[in-house]
Amino acid sequence: MTRPPTPAQRRVIDAADPVTGRIKGTEAQLEALVKRGLAFRHPRPPHDHFLTPAGHRVRETVEEEPEPTAAPVAGGVFAAHIGGTREAADTGPARTREVHSAWQGLLELRRMTNSDGATDRPCGWERAHLVQAAALALEAAGQAPEAGGSPGYRVRVTPQPEAVAVHAPDGETLRACAITLEKAGWQVGEYTEPRTRARYLLASPRRV
């Protein structure tokens, strides 16, 4: 059986142009995909890379997501619920206090590390920990994560730099997540997943 693409290679494949199959990535990533027969280098300048039929088949195959774990927030003490776990999410009073404390700590981190002391937009730590930061903003606002069979949000990495994908079970929940993230200083857009046609959010930390 052919060895599946690495997570980095899979992100390159998933981000391919849906019509032409043109891909972008580091030289090492592109070369590795060519060696595996999943991409080819166009012989004419500018020598762009494109998916082969085998690469397109990989892209059209829904990748089974690994069981996610809660993401650590600053200091590694608290863990924000990113959604998608088999276990039910802790929503008791102690958890509520922890979430509130973690969010207040993040606001203080913004005040100390943003050059103008602003707390209404994400700081460098959040841009370096996108999934964790977005999940904390959602949980702190009272949004429920998908967990233990209960519907809710899921925050996932994307091939785009400084952007996370937020999935929700319905349009109303998706819009609520968008409002929450915008209030927390994120830029949010709504998109359609090309394979499943499901709607999702693409959120990036606002810089100004």
Side-chain angles (χ1 to χ4, degrees):
M1 184 176 179
T2 305
R3 179 168 52 87
T6 65
Q9 292 171 350
R10 179 74 197 211
R11 287 194 292 270
V12 172
I13 292 171
D14 286 345
D17 185 287
V19 178
T20 66
R22 181 170 177 261
I23 57 175
K24 296 180 180 179
T26 66
E27 289 186 14
Q29 289 171 334
L30 297 175
E31 183 178 349
L33 290 173
V34 170
K35 287 182 177 179
R36 299 185 60 174
L38 300 176
F40 69 92
R41 183 174 182 265
H42 199 284
R44 295 180 181 175
H47 302 297
D48 288 333
H49 287 73
F50 297 83
L51 293 179
T52 62
H56 278 287
R57 286 194 294 273
V58 170
R59 186 176 186 274
E60 292 165 2
T61 300
V62 177
E63 184 178 33
E64 184 176 347
E65 292 184 350
E67 176 72 7
T69 57
V73 176
V77 176
F78 175 82
H81 288 311
I82 64 173
T85 57
R86 292 191 181 95
E87 299 79 15
D90 181 4
T91 57
R95 176 67 183 186
T96 300
R97 289 192 297 269
E98 288 178 353
V99 172
H100 176 75
S101 178
W103 178 248
Q104 292 303 313
L106 188 56
L107 292 180
E108 180 63 13
L109 188 62
R110 289 182 177 185
R111 186 188 67 78
M112 292 188 299
T113 58
N114 281 335
S115 58
D116 57 356
T119 60
D120 62 348
R121 70 174 187 274
C123 60
W125 184 90
E126 289 167 275
R127 286 188 288 273
H129 303 81
L130 296 169
V131 172
Q132 300 92 321
L136 176 56
L138 292 170
E139 191 175 359
Q143 303 294 338
E146 178 187 291
S150 298
Y153 67 78
R154 286 184 293 116
V155 184
R156 294 292 183 267
V157 297
T158 72
Q160 291 89 338
E162 290 206 357
V164 294
V166 178
H167 305 269
D170 53 64
E172 183 179 355
T173 304
L174 198 65
R175 286 188 292 273
C177 289
I179 292 171
T180 293
L181 289 170
E182 287 172 350
K183 288 181 177 179
W186 293 64
Q187 294 177 321
V188 182
E190 190 171 329
Y191 299 87
T192 301
E193 211 288 325
R195 289 198 297 265
T196 65
R197 310 307 300 171
R199 299 292 287 174
Y200 70 98
L201 304 177
L202 199 63
S204 302
R206 182 168 55 85
R207 288 186 175 274
V208 294

